[in-house]
Amino acid sequence: MTTEQIEKFLEKNAIDETPVKVSFKTRKPVVGIFITRGDYSDLKAKNFWRIVGEANLENYSKSKDINLARIFSGSEMTKLSVL
């Protein structure tokens, strides 16, 4: 997916604290939330996205530590859907 496609999806849907299922070309889907703080603009410019996976959601909601997130390439994403 392109940066514009992902950004349009994020603008259309409530992105903070809303779980999203992210499907990929070569790996299993990931459920998590997109992080729009910190280095969001820099990563977005390169089509990279910081996502906290569902295993770390509880810890992230308490601490807001962006180090609990992983960075994914937007070019590997095939589909985004709100849960």
Side-chain angles (χ1 to χ4, degrees):
M1 297 181 80
T2 65
T3 302
E4 293 79 19
Q5 290 172 315
I6 297 169
E7 190 172 29
K8 184 178 178 182
F9 174 84
L10 294 177
E11 287 174 0
K12 186 177 181 180
N13 302 287
I15 52 173
D16 285 336
E17 307 299 321
T18 302
V20 175
K21 180 179 178 183
V22 183
S23 299
F24 295 93
K25 294 177 185 175
T26 58
R27 61 179 305 181
K28 292 182 179 181
V30 171
V31 174
I33 57 173
F34 281 81
I35 305 300
T36 58
R37 299 182 301 116
D39 57 357
Y40 176 76
S41 297
D42 294 334
L43 290 173
K44 181 177 77 168
K46 300 172 187 166
N47 199 14
F48 286 104
W49 306 89
R50 193 177 292 274
I51 302 172
V52 176
E54 64 183 335
N56 291 324
L57 283 177
E58 186 176 328
N59 290 335
Y60 176 77
S61 65
K62 293 176 185 175
S63 68
K64 300 297 182 192
D65 181 10
I66 64 171
N67 293 318
L68 294 172
R70 294 182 56 201
I71 297 175
F72 295 93
S73 171
S75 62
E76 289 294 315
M77 296 178 187
T78 57
K79 184 179 178 183
L80 301 173
S81 54
V82 177
L83 293 181

